[in-house]
Amino acid sequence: MIQNSILYIARAIMNLIYFFIKLFPMQENKIIMLSRQSDKPNIDFKLIEEEIKNSNQSKKVIILCKKVPKGFMKRIGYCFYLIKCMYHLATAKVCIINGYVIPVSILHHKKKLKIIQIWHAMGAIKQFGLQVTNKKEGNRSNIAKIMKMHQNYTNITCTSEATKKVYAKAFQTEESKILTLGMPRVDYLLGKDGKIDEQVGKIYAQYPKLKTKQTVLYVPTFRKGKEINIEPIISAFQEDKYNLIIRLHPLDGTKVEEQFLIDNKYQTMDLIKVADYIITDYSATAFEASVLKKRIFFYLYDIQEYQEERGLNIPLKQEMPSVTFHHIEEIVKAIETKSYCEKEWENFRRKYIETDDIENTKRIVEYIL
């Protein structure tokens, strides 16, 4: 009850401050991009900014990215950052976000402000957003209601009709608001302007051993309050036969030996390019790998528990039975015997990535403009 009261008061104070900030005039040429997924723009924001500048140099683009920090004093500083965001929201014509952004959802905006949610993943194998309220890995429904989670969106973009149906549930909105325009990172993965190939060259230069053996990339999803059990993976892949790369979620605290890590300056999307096989579980990395037609395996050692604590949007055992396993040894065997159903994977790719061309950023920016 106390927490609820504090949140209601904070929301009221923010709206009161915003009431006066909204007295500043809207700038018709101003576009703002906001994120709390990271402290710097991700590839999607960078590509959108670049395309806007190339398409219409009169447009002013502001990018603000900042994760909610830990520690009382740092959070006090974050409050001043939120006021900065509020000023730009009050004076922009279009706002682009890639996740839940507090001031976007809880404030009463000018009617002319258009808010476009592009999300930070290419799809959703696992349930997310308002699908997971009152579940172990989600927020309580009363908190979601007070914080108006995922409200105020004008439109949401996605990569397929199948994804649109999932997003409608996760954002609790009508499908007509969700547009199949794609995602900028698809362009990056497909090598638009050669950017990803440039990164691949740098990876090979820094880690020449990756050229000597087959490379397996393990990308597990983040499990709230749990470490990833990586020992079975390490034991299963013999060092003399495979290079093993382990790429954990930025919030994951699992300790990994240096020999299995690649410099964090390289994105997971770059690592997919140098991998022969990708092993994941419920991560959207599967969609990125499918764009590049990479061999992918689903290692679902905790699927029963995960279903109860989080839930899935895609029944992997039904849609991808030939590459979905409970035991890592089964995956190693499938790799070595080349047991892989191409038709199964192609169906998955077509179903969830309909925008597999290098026009994704262009389509989104044309809509923004």
Side-chain angles (χ1 to χ4, degrees):
M1 289 296 292
I2 294 174
Q3 184 185 30
N4 289 0
S5 298
I6 292 171
L7 291 175
Y8 273 122
I9 292 169
R11 193 180 82 184
I13 291 171
M14 286 184 70
N15 271 291
L16 178 62
I17 294 171
Y18 194 53
F19 174 82
F20 292 103
I21 293 177
K22 284 191 293 184
L23 296 175
F24 286 97
M26 176 179 279
Q27 299 173 30
E28 294 288 329
N29 69 331
K30 184 175 176 179
I31 298 166
I32 179 175
M33 291 193 264
L34 296 175
S35 177
R36 65 186 189 112
Q37 298 298 313
S38 65
D39 292 324
K40 58 183 180 180
N42 70 356
I43 188 63
D44 301 305
F45 275 13
K46 289 178 181 177
L47 289 173
I48 288 173
E49 179 189 30
E50 184 180 299
E51 184 70 24
I52 289 172
K53 289 180 176 178
N54 289 338
S55 301
N56 191 324
Q57 293 184 358
S58 69
K59 299 299 179 185
K60 181 181 179 182
V61 180
I62 305 290
I63 303 179
L64 297 175
C65 300
K66 193 174 183 66
K67 292 191 289 186
V68 179
K70 295 180 179 179
F72 178 75
M73 293 308 297
K74 288 184 177 180
R75 291 197 172 185
I76 293 295
Y78 190 77
C79 291
F80 288 100
Y81 165 77
L82 288 178
I83 292 173
K84 181 179 180 181
C85 293
M86 289 158 65
Y87 166 75
H88 288 295
L89 281 166
T91 55
K93 182 69 179 291
V94 177
C95 173
I96 303 159
I97 57 176
N98 67 351
Y100 170 64
V101 177
I102 296 168
V104 167
S105 287
I106 71 170
L107 297 176
H108 301 293
H109 301 291
K110 293 176 180 177
K111 289 184 178 180
K112 283 189 175 182
L113 176 66
K114 306 301 179 186
I115 299 168
I116 302 169
Q117 170 69 264
I118 67 169
W119 203 233
H120 57 269
M122 205 178 288
I125 292 175
K126 61 188 178 187
Q127 293 187 352
F128 73 101
L130 297 170
Q131 288 180 301
V132 295
T133 51
N134 296 326
K135 293 186 179 181
K136 188 173 181 179
E137 290 210 359
N139 292 295
R140 296 197 304 276
S141 56
N142 63 316
I143 300 297
K145 184 178 180 181
I146 295 168
M147 298 303 289
K148 297 187 174 182
M149 286 186 67
H150 299 304
Q151 292 190 29
N152 289 336
Y153 303 157
T154 307
N155 288 109
I156 300 160
T157 64
C158 70
T159 57
S160 71
E161 287 296 312
T163 305
K164 180 186 290 188
K165 295 182 185 302
V166 171
Y167 281 12
K169 294 175 183 176
F171 297 119
Q172 289 188 7
T173 189
E174 55 268 29
E175 288 187 28
S176 59
K177 280 190 174 184
I178 305 172
L179 310 175
T180 310
L181 298 176
M183 196 172 189
R185 67 182 60 188
V186 176
D187 301 344
Y188 180 79
L189 283 162
L190 292 175
K192 186 178 182 180
D193 300 328
K195 290 176 182 176
I196 196 168
D197 292 321
E198 180 183 332
Q199 289 297 90
V200 168
K202 291 178 180 178
I203 293 172
Y204 281 134
Q206 189 171 344
Y207 302 94
K209 70 173 185 176
L210 295 178
K211 287 186 174 182
T212 63
K213 291 171 284 189
Q214 287 190 312
T215 297
V216 176
L217 172 64
Y218 179 44
V219 190
T221 199
F222 175 63
R223 288 162 172 79
K224 192 174 181 180
K226 292 182 180 179
E227 290 195 350
I228 304 296
N229 185 12
I230 59 174
E231 289 309 315
I233 293 278
I234 293 172
S235 301
F237 289 97
Q238 299 173 23
E239 194 175 343
D240 61 334
K241 294 178 68 175
Y242 300 98
N243 295 304
L244 176 62
I245 301 172
I246 298 175
R247 172 52 61 89
L248 301 181
H249 190 279
L251 297 177
D252 198 305
T254 306
K255 301 298 181 186
V256 182
E257 293 178 39
E258 190 71 28
Q259 69 186 90
F260 302 115
L261 298 175
I262 295 288
D263 197 317
N264 279 330
K265 69 183 178 183
Y266 302 113
Q267 302 175 86
T268 302
M269 287 180 285
D270 302 324
L271 301 184
I272 290 172
K273 196 92 172 190
V274 302
D276 297 288
Y277 304 99
I278 290 89
I279 300 174
T280 186
D281 38 36
Y282 320 106
S283 170
T285 299
F287 302 113
E288 295 170 355
S290 75
V291 170
L292 292 172
K293 299 182 179 180
K294 291 285 183 172
R295 299 282 193 273
I296 186 164
F297 295 89
F298 296 98
Y299 177 34
L300 310 184
Y301 63 87
D302 63 347
I303 187 166
Q304 287 300 122
E305 182 182 2
Y306 200 84
Q307 282 274 31
E308 293 171 6
E309 295 182 357
R310 180 99 186 204
L312 299 179
N313 288 311
I314 299 175
L316 293 170
K317 284 187 171 183
Q318 295 176 31
E319 294 197 15
M320 301 288 283
S322 73
V323 293
T324 299
F325 299 103
H326 289 170
H327 304 287
I328 193 63
E329 293 78 11
E330 296 172 311
I331 294 177
V332 175
K333 183 179 178 181
I335 289 174
E336 294 185 344
T337 58
K338 295 180 169 49
S339 302
Y340 203 91
C341 180
E342 298 288 348
K343 185 177 180 181
E344 195 173 276
W345 187 247
E346 185 61 26
N347 289 340
F348 181 90
R349 182 173 181 266
R350 287 180 178 177
K351 182 175 181 179
Y352 296 107
I353 311 293
E354 293 178 3
T355 59
D356 57 342
D357 55 31
I358 57 171
E359 301 293 323
N360 288 255
T361 311
K362 183 180 179 181
R363 278 191 295 270
I364 291 171
V365 169
E366 284 178 349
Y367 176 72
I368 291 166
L369 296 178

